[in-house]
Amino acid sequence: MQGADEVPDERGTVRAARTLALPRSLLRAKTSVPDLHHAAVERPRLWTLLDAATTRPVTAMTAPTGSGKTQLLASWARQSARPVAWLNLDAHDRDPHRFWTAFLLALQPVAGLGEDSVLATMQPAPGSSHSLSVLPALVVDALSDLEHEVVVVLDDVHEIDDSPTVEALSYLLLHLPPRLRVVLTGVFLPALPRARLRLEGRLATIPGEELAFTAVEARSMLQGTGLHPTDEVVAQLVDRTEGWSAGLRLAALAGADALTGHDSPYLLTSGSAEADEYLLGEVLANLPEQARAFVLTTCVCDRLSGSLADALTGDHDGAATLRWLADHNIFTVRQSSDEEWYRYHAMFVGMLRRQLQQADQGRWRALHDRAAGWFAEHRLWLEAFEHARQGTSADLARAMVRSAWYPLYVGGQLVTLRDMVDRVLADPTGADDELRLVRTVVGLALGEPGSHLVSPPPATPSLAGQVLALEQGRACGDLATVQAAAADMLRAGPGLSPTSESFGDLAALALYELGATEYWRGDGFAAEEHLRQAHEAARSGHRAYVELGCLSQLVGVLTAQDRLDDALAVADEARDLAGRRGWEQSAAAAELWHALGWIHYLRDELDAADQFLDLGDDAVRLDDTPVRAAIQLVRGLVLAQRGRKRHALAQMLQVEREIAGLRARWVFSDYVEAELVRLNLALGQLGPARRALARTDPETEGVHLRISRAELLLSDSRPDAALDVLRAAVADGRGFLDQRIQAQVLLAVVETQQNGVRAGLPVFGEAVAMAAGERMVQPLLQFGARIDRMLELLERRDRTHLDFVRLVRSRIAAHVSTAQQVRPDGGLEEPLTAREHEILIRLDSMATLPEVAAELFVSVNTVKAHLRSLYRKLGVHGRREAIAKAEALGLL
């Protein structure tokens, strides 16, 4: 029945001249912008987001209870240039009559349509379904006359979920007039037409994560309560609460009460009880019984999947329940876009765990047992171990380590594995011989001092013992030990079937260690075969760390086989893998960096070589003598090429000491022995050079040692004997390509000096052809200006390798130019002449006095005369002193 002052109009609504039939105080509370907390924080970054979002018709912002949604929107509304209407929804607004009554009242003060407008007198007719069905269209029509933009905030919109009001609100959102903006905020959104609005570009979304307080905002909040914590305390508090507004405020209030405003780490624990009480009363108590039981059961895990949840609860709806919790912002966060993994908010899960532990410690431990089993089944070993540690029995944790150690080892998770083993061994009841061996294996892999000195118990039929034998055998070059251990592992290892997944892991490691040892013993072809087999097994088993080790060793093998371009292709693959996994400084990458340093040295890219060798120094294990010595060897070669002969000699002597402890001859031993002779010769130290060469066997020495023997013969003025040695070295055809090139070049130089350019140029042409294929510049640069004349002749007569010849000539010119630009006067009272400086440069090379004379086209006596003057100006009495003094003065 209509009131005395109500008149129905022709559209089925009621025009009213009196106040709506709701209590005035309630209407004021529902339709007023809420008051701000006295310590409210201004958040301009979020105001900017809201300004941008509300350029679209509809804005949605959802977040868990206590996230500060209402305070944020209230502070934004108060500073907004646009008028803002506010409607705080509650369960009563599920009734469309109640909703529209409040909605129209909220709009009237800000719409600016005048008292005679339809909106000003519009209200739904009580009990009239016809009125409610047409009212949304009438509201839209009335608001079409708005002269300026108006924003309507509908707060706590989740309260009208699954009610008739949703349909009416959906119509309004789909037909909003141009100047009306609606902001929807709540714990979650009801079933509104979000997909259509988003598709039409009419919906903006502000994720709940944006509401998390930053450290700056948290500090402002704390200061508002009279607290002045340090930056460290603020950062830790934000981390503990994940920026959750209610958690921060409760901590601040509790801290202020306890501390009277003084800064203290107490803030990091204050407010926990208050937060628990809040979450219990506002969140957990309001969950459906099934959901409440679910979160209390699954809270033992830091992350959850549907399958894991099912294993914990014994049900089959874990995925659906997690999705429901996340959709309804019940402090549940999706961790992956495919919705496989979720986690609970840190404070929420802390409350749940305290509730579960207080209620039933036995159930708490039993749930950890279940979680450990699930994670172990899915080979997520670290999480399996952590749950086993909190389970019903310490034996479970030990069993987990025994199962997990090898997959973690070949997966490169060495630090994680070390920590797991240490934690088990720290318990006196958890120690056993097998786990002690595992600890030694891990220490060896991590390069811990002393680990390589531990020997496995004799005849121990354990996997850890076999791996330890492999590692120690490779590190000291003991191929027999490695072969025996690898054979044992390839026979399926203790208790394993050749068809099992674990056997594939064993095969990958055994073949890798075997191939690496063969490489350092000098059997490159067998090494390549085994490393490629190991790489395939590692890739098939998704063992990326072993895969990286195989690729790294392959780069070295291919470089040693003089296949530099092939090596660089494999190196690109290895570098990509190392970069993606963050393993650039791991032991598995050490040989990669050595081989790249070697390649760039061979191509005279010395700066790049130094950079890769530095990476190798950072990555190589303390006990990995073959790789460590190889890095030092190439560094010595680079130093020698830069003209720093004394430093190069010291480096080679260090390499000699390193490899002395190997049980078998190292692949680069000839290189080291020969360089010691050549560097001593270059420094004028004939005695040490002769003694070094005397320790070698002329019948078995390789090409590099023959080069050094020829150079010693040349220094003794025995060129014919040197020719015989060099011809035999070239005819032998063995050795690394750069060594064979150097032998060929030196033969060409001596042939030219002894028999003329017609004899030497063809030999030199063969050397250039050998070097051009792999662009090995360095073996030619060793001889500097002595070969420039032959290069010039070759450039004119044979254009087959023209670009390479020009490259070598330009590099020789650059080296000479650089040497001549280094402090030409050295601060001497009587500066050196240009000719004296040229001779000084050659003193620091491998050239003998006759060779210096030949290069400068003067007699040996003229060279000696310049030397006497040079020695006088430097104040020295011999070649060795002259080089040392010249280095000190910056003349070299």
Side-chain angles (χ1 to χ4, degrees):
M1 184 173 180
Q2 293 170 209
D5 53 355
E6 297 173 352
V7 180
D9 67 11
E10 69 278 6
R11 293 178 293 185
T13 61
V14 175
R15 299 177 65 84
R18 63 180 178 84
T19 305
L20 298 176
L22 288 171
R24 185 177 299 276
S25 59
L26 177 59
L27 287 172
R28 188 182 302 116
K30 285 179 66 67
T31 60
S32 299
V33 176
D35 293 333
L36 295 177
H37 189 277
H38 74 277
V41 177
E42 292 189 352
R43 308 181 74 184
R45 67 178 181 90
L46 295 178
W47 294 348
T48 301
L49 280 179
L50 283 164
D51 287 338
T54 52
T55 59
R56 298 190 181 187
V58 183
T59 299
M61 182 173 68
T62 58
T65 301
S67 296
K69 302 180 292 295
T70 300
Q71 287 282 295
L72 168 64
L73 284 166
S75 65
W76 171 74
R78 291 176 186 279
Q79 58 82 49
S80 175
R82 293 172 292 181
V84 177
W86 190 282
L87 178 55
N88 181 42
L89 301 176
D90 56 40
H92 296 293
D93 293 303
R94 297 168 63 82
D95 177 355
H97 178 273
R98 169 73 175 264
F99 170 78
W100 285 116
T101 298
F103 183 85
L104 293 171
L105 182 65
L107 270 175
Q108 286 174 16
V110 299
L113 296 178
E115 294 184 0
D116 59 343
S117 70
V118 173
L119 183 67
T121 57
M122 185 182 296
Q123 73 171 95
S128 170
S129 60
H130 175 68
S131 169
L132 291 174
S133 66
V134 300
L135 186 60
L138 295 177
V139 172
V140 170
D141 183 54
L143 292 173
S144 299
D145 296 332
L146 287 172
E147 295 181 357
H148 55 263
E149 276 194 6
V150 173
V151 180
V152 181
V153 175
L154 300 181
D155 194 15
D156 287 342
V157 71
H158 59 273
E159 293 283 3
I160 64 170
D161 184 39
D162 196 25
S163 74
T165 302
V166 173
E167 182 180 355
L169 180 57
S170 297
Y171 179 91
L172 176 66
L173 297 179
L174 290 172
H175 300 88
L176 281 179
R179 292 187 175 87
L180 185 63
R181 301 287 183 265
V182 175
V183 176
L184 305 169
T185 182
V187 176
F188 60 91
L189 292 183
L192 297 168
R194 282 175 289 175
R196 179 173 170 183
L197 290 170
R198 188 178 291 111
L199 184 63
E200 294 174 355
R202 304 175 64 211
L203 174 65
T205 301
I206 297 178
E209 294 83 358
E210 292 289 348
L211 273 66
F213 273 62
T214 65
V216 173
E217 293 166 343
R219 172 178 290 284
S220 296
M221 177 189 287
L222 296 169
Q223 289 174 341
T225 58
L227 294 170
H228 300 279
T230 63
D231 291 343
E232 182 181 2
V233 169
V234 172
Q236 292 181 45
L237 188 59
V238 170
D239 182 62
R240 181 172 73 87
T241 62
E242 297 188 25
W244 181 43
S245 176
L248 286 167
R249 193 166 298 282
L250 289 168
L253 293 174
D257 290 343
L259 301 171
T260 64
H262 294 295
D263 177 21
S264 169
Y266 175 79
L267 264 176
L268 298 178
T269 56
S270 64
S272 294
E274 292 84 351
D276 281 3
E277 183 179 352
Y278 179 92
L279 291 167
L280 277 167
E282 298 294 326
V283 182
L284 192 63
N286 292 322
L287 286 179
E289 183 178 350
Q290 182 180 357
R292 186 163 57 248
F294 179 91
V295 296
L296 283 168
T297 299
T298 56
C299 68
V300 296
C301 294
D302 291 332
R303 60 173 182 155
L304 287 161
S305 68
S307 171
L308 173 56
D310 290 342
L312 293 169
T313 64
D315 294 327
H316 304 286
D317 57 355
T321 304
L322 287 167
R323 193 178 308 115
W324 183 89
L325 290 167
D327 289 343
H328 287 74
N329 272 321
I330 312 298
F331 291 89
T332 303
V333 181
R334 289 182 175 88
Q335 288 193 293
S336 55
S337 58
D338 59 4
E339 299 189 355
E340 181 182 0
W341 287 101
Y342 298 79
R343 69 172 179 85
Y344 296 136
H345 186 283
M347 299 198 76
F348 184 58
V349 79
M351 178 273 293
L352 293 172
R353 288 172 179 174
R354 284 186 284 274
Q355 291 294 310
L356 178 58
Q357 286 178 288
Q358 291 169 11
D360 191 342
Q361 272 286 339
R363 178 169 170 74
W364 166 262
R365 292 187 177 279
L367 287 171
H368 277 295
D369 285 352
R370 292 187 193 178
W374 188 92
F375 279 112
E377 180 184 348
H378 291 79
R379 301 176 70 84
L380 298 168
W381 298 111
L382 178 58
E383 287 160 299
F385 174 74
E386 294 296 345
H387 284 288
R389 291 265 299 172
Q390 299 182 71
T392 55
S393 170
D395 291 337
L396 182 61
R398 287 195 291 275
M400 205 63 68
V401 174
R402 292 191 190 96
S403 299
W405 83 264
Y406 189 72
L408 289 173
Y409 179 78
V410 295
Q413 299 181 58
L414 300 175
V415 174
T416 296
L417 176 57
R418 178 189 63 191
D419 293 345
M420 288 171 60
V421 177
D422 283 348
R423 288 165 66 184
V424 171
L425 292 179
D427 180 355
T429 66
D432 60 41
D433 290 340
E434 177 72 5
L435 288 181
R436 289 192 184 94
L437 270 182
V438 170
R439 183 60 182 85
T440 302
V441 169
V442 179
L444 193 62
L446 288 171
E448 293 178 350
S451 297
H452 61 291
L453 301 177
V454 180
S455 300
T460 302
S462 71
L463 180 57
Q466 291 171 349
V467 173
L468 184 57
L470 277 176
E471 288 282 3
Q472 291 181 324
R474 181 184 60 79
C476 66
D478 187 346
L479 182 59
T481 297
V482 172
Q483 285 175 329
D488 286 344
M489 291 178 72
L490 291 173
R491 281 194 293 268
L496 291 176
S497 164
T499 60
S500 69
E501 181 180 356
S502 297
F503 177 68
D505 289 344
L506 295 180
L509 182 64
L511 290 167
Y512 161 70
E513 297 283 8
L514 182 58
T517 308
E518 288 166 337
Y519 164 43
W520 296 115
R521 286 287 301 272
D523 191 351
F525 294 106
E528 181 181 359
E529 179 183 0
H530 287 137
L531 287 170
R532 291 195 183 278
Q533 291 173 355
H535 177 248
E536 182 59 33
R539 174 174 285 180
S540 299
H542 305 289
R543 297 303 180 194
Y545 193 71
V546 178
E547 185 181 349
L548 175 61
C550 294
L551 291 172
S552 297
Q553 295 288 337
L554 272 172
V555 178
V557 169
L558 294 171
T559 304
Q561 293 177 358
D562 310 314
R563 297 156 59 185
L564 304 193
D565 288 335
D566 291 345
L568 287 173
V570 176
D572 287 342
E573 186 179 353
R575 293 177 70 180
D576 177 67
L577 177 57
R580 283 188 284 109
R581 297 290 186 133
W583 289 336
E584 291 95 335
Q585 293 188 0
S586 68
E591 173 53 19
L592 168 66
W593 306 132
H594 155 252
L596 284 171
W598 185 11
I599 292 170
H600 286 280
Y601 159 73
L602 291 172
R603 291 183 169 174
D604 193 45
E605 295 159 350
L606 302 186
D607 289 341
D610 277 334
Q611 291 172 6
F612 287 120
L613 295 173
D614 288 343
L615 289 171
D617 278 336
D618 292 338
V620 69
R621 284 173 9 193
L622 293 175
D623 67 292
D624 199 342
T625 301
V627 180
R628 182 175 295 280
I631 293 169
Q632 293 172 346
L633 169 60
V634 179
R635 196 177 289 286
L637 295 173
V638 171
L639 287 169
Q641 186 61 31
R642 291 188 186 279
R644 300 175 63 187
K645 308 294 185 184
R646 291 189 183 283
H647 294 88
L649 179 60
Q651 189 75 51
M652 291 301 168
L653 289 170
Q654 176 62 31
V655 177
E656 185 180 44
R657 289 190 291 271
E658 285 271 358
I659 63 177
L662 294 177
R663 297 182 187 176
R665 188 167 179 81
W666 188 48
V667 64
F668 299 116
S669 292
D670 276 6
Y671 232 127
V672 178
E673 294 165 352
E675 285 301 313
L676 285 172
V677 176
R678 299 179 78 182
L679 288 167
N680 276 303
L681 281 174
L683 294 169
Q685 299 170 172
L686 296 184
R690 295 184 196 282
R691 288 193 294 275
L693 200 55
R695 294 196 295 267
T696 67
D697 182 359
E699 300 298 323
T700 60
E701 64 190 17
V703 61
H704 214 59
L705 276 167
R706 290 181 177 181
I707 294 171
S708 63
R709 186 173 296 279
E711 288 174 341
L712 184 58
L713 290 169
L714 289 171
S715 71
D716 291 338
S717 300
R718 298 174 59 193
D720 290 338
L723 279 174
D724 290 339
V725 172
L726 290 170
R727 287 167 182 158
V730 169
D732 188 304
R734 291 179 297 173
F736 297 112
L737 180 59
D738 66 310
Q739 298 172 333
R740 302 199 308 272
I741 294 169
Q742 289 183 60
Q744 192 99 10
V745 172
L746 185 56
L747 176 59
V749 169
V750 180
E751 286 279 17
T752 299
Q753 290 174 348
Q754 294 300 110
N755 304 310
V757 72
R758 289 181 178 274
L761 192 59
V763 178
F764 184 72
E766 292 177 15
V768 169
M770 292 164 62
E774 294 292 342
R775 300 190 299 285
M776 286 193 185
V777 177
Q778 179 277 332
L780 298 166
L781 293 186
Q782 291 273 339
F783 302 92
R786 284 184 289 174
I787 63 171
D788 192 54
R789 174 62 177 162
M790 285 189 286
L791 285 168
E792 181 184 359
L793 292 172
L794 204 61
E795 186 176 357
R796 292 203 305 249
R797 298 182 185 183
D798 184 355
R799 306 179 69 84
T800 305
H801 304 293
L802 182 61
D803 290 342
F804 181 72
V805 169
R806 289 175 174 172
L807 172 64
V808 176
R809 292 196 71 191
S810 68
R811 294 288 177 85
I812 290 175
H815 277 275
V816 172
S817 174
T818 299
Q820 292 176 341
Q821 289 172 9
V822 178
R823 292 187 61 191
D825 62 357
L828 294 172
E829 292 183 9
E830 185 180 355
L832 303 182
T833 65
R835 181 63 81 181
E836 288 166 352
H837 197 269
E838 287 179 340
I839 291 174
L840 177 62
I841 292 171
R842 284 159 178 79
L843 286 182
D844 196 35
S845 70
M846 294 179 291
T848 62
L849 293 187
E851 289 170 339
V852 172
E855 288 181 28
L856 300 178
F857 301 100
V858 296
S859 68
V860 173
N861 287 334
T862 300
V863 171
K864 290 180 178 179
H866 284 300
L867 273 179
R868 287 193 292 272
S869 175
L870 174 64
Y871 292 165
R872 176 180 57 78
K873 292 178 180 180
L874 291 175
V876 299
H877 299 90
R879 181 173 186 160
R880 182 174 182 177
E881 289 182 74
I883 293 169
K885 183 70 172 287
E887 285 182 343
L889 293 173
L891 291 165
L892 293 173

